[in-house]
């Protein structure tokens, strides 16, 4: 009986330790196409990283089409050796002035990456877009994207309705919210990185992360106490 209780305590401690480790290291990345801005400050220059984590129901990815919000006029895509890249233009009516005072008559409406070699389902890749963010703090920028595969496609284009939880969407569009610059931080905004933003623009992910850290710490503490007790009774 003593041996049995000791083994139960050890197994319990091991289980708590494992659960705590998982909580502290984080859960697996979401399977959605995601967007990670280097900064979210309104009016800043930013590099947007689009992540493609898997194919379409096991089929390799052959193309990713990224729609650009109308508020963004110019986009400079980063070269990816495994992909060709195309900018799809749209007329601006009326034309606008760029930061240098030049008249701009067209904007980048879509960026299309086409694979030279299909991206296998069990591998991921990223695409980087350099943009000038609009000066509209509090506004949500959405980048609906269509992922085409050797068999089928996945349209990451859904936007939550008013009052709807974005977690309920099966194929949410990648998006993030523009933030206001703190006093004196405007000049630094373009070079300061921010935490990765997924398809969710709310604070749910941050809350879950803090809860995971707390539970992980408690699990580690409980596991350690259980191991100490088993050694004292050995």
């Amino acid at each position: 009986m003593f041996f049995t209780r000791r083994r139960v305590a050890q197994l319990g401690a091991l289980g708590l330790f494992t659960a705590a480790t998982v909580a502290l290291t984080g859960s697996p990345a979401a399977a959605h196409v995601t967007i990670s801005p280097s900064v979210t400050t309104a009016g800043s220059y930013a590099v947007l990283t689009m992540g493609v984590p898997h194919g379409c129901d096991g089929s390799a990815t052959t193309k990713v089409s990224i729609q650009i919000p109308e508020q963004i006029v110019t986009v400079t895509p980063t070269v990816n050796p495994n992909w060709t890249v195309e900018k799809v233009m749209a007329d601006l009516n009326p034309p606008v002035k760029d930061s240098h005072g030049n008249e701009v008559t067209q904007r980048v409406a879509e960026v299309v990456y086409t694979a030279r070699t299909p991206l296998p389902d069990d591998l991921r890749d990223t695409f980087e877009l350099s943009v000038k963010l609009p000066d509209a703090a509090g506004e949500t920028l959405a980048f609906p994207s269509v992922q085409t595969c050797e068999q089928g496609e996945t349209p990451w284009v859904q936007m939550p309705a008013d009052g709807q939880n974005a977690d309920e969407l099966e194929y949410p569009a990648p998006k993030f919210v523009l933030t206001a610059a703190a006093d004196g931080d405007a000049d630094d905004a373009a070079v300061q990185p921010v935490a990765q933003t997924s398809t969710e623009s709310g604070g749910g992910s941050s809350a879950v992360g803090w809860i995971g850290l707390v539970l992980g710490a408690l699990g580690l503490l409980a596991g350690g106490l259980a191991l100490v007790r088993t050694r004292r009774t050995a």
Side-chain angles (χ1 to χ4, degrees):
M1 180 62 69
F2 169 74
F3 177 79
T4 301
R5 289 178 178 175
R6 179 185 178 188
R7 290 294 298 160
V8 169
Q10 289 176 331
L11 290 174
L14 179 61
L16 288 171
F17 181 82
T18 302
T21 302
V22 171
L24 288 174
T25 56
S27 58
H32 301 157
V33 167
T34 60
I35 186 168
S36 302
S38 59
V39 294
T40 58
T41 309
S44 298
Y45 288 92
V47 175
L48 312 179
T49 302
M50 306 289 297
V52 181
H54 62 77
C56 310
D57 294 326
S59 181
T61 300
T62 58
K63 183 170 66 175
V64 179
S65 303
I66 307 166
Q67 296 182 33
I68 306 301
E70 292 183 359
Q71 304 95 314
I72 295 178
V73 176
T74 60
V75 178
T76 304
T78 300
V79 173
N80 185 313
N82 192 48
W83 306 74
T84 62
V85 59
E86 175 190 5
K87 294 191 292 185
V88 180
M89 309 301 293
D91 291 335
L92 283 172
N93 187 19
V96 299
K97 298 288 186 179
D98 64 15
S99 58
H100 301 288
N102 301 316
E103 185 177 75
V104 180
T105 60
Q106 288 188 316
R107 74 175 188 90
V108 179
E110 186 177 17
V111 177
V112 181
Y113 281 92
T114 302
R116 302 180 190 275
T117 302
L119 178 67
D121 175 66
D122 61 342
L123 299 179
R124 71 182 300 272
D125 209 340
T126 58
F127 312 109
E128 292 184 344
L129 309 175
S130 177
V131 303
K132 173 72 159 55
L133 298 177
D135 191 6
E139 186 171 329
T140 297
L141 294 182
F143 297 76
S145 304
V146 176
Q147 179 184 8
T148 303
C149 298
E150 290 182 320
Q151 296 181 3
E153 67 177 24
T154 303
W156 303 99
V157 299
Q158 296 177 337
M159 292 292 292
D162 291 342
Q164 182 182 17
N165 189 334
D167 290 335
E168 300 174 1
L169 301 178
E170 186 174 6
Y171 302 111
K175 65 183 187 302
F176 63 92
V177 177
L178 294 171
T179 57
D183 292 341
D185 292 343
D187 293 336
D188 298 332
V191 296
Q192 295 298 327
V194 298
Q196 177 169 335
T197 305
S198 69
T199 54
E200 300 301 324
S201 61
S205 297
S206 297
V208 171
W210 281 110
I211 292 173
L213 288 173
V214 173
L215 291 177
L218 291 175
L220 287 172
L221 179 60
L225 291 175
L227 287 173
V228 171
R229 289 172 181 169
T230 57
R231 290 176 178 176
R232 287 180 177 177
T233 57

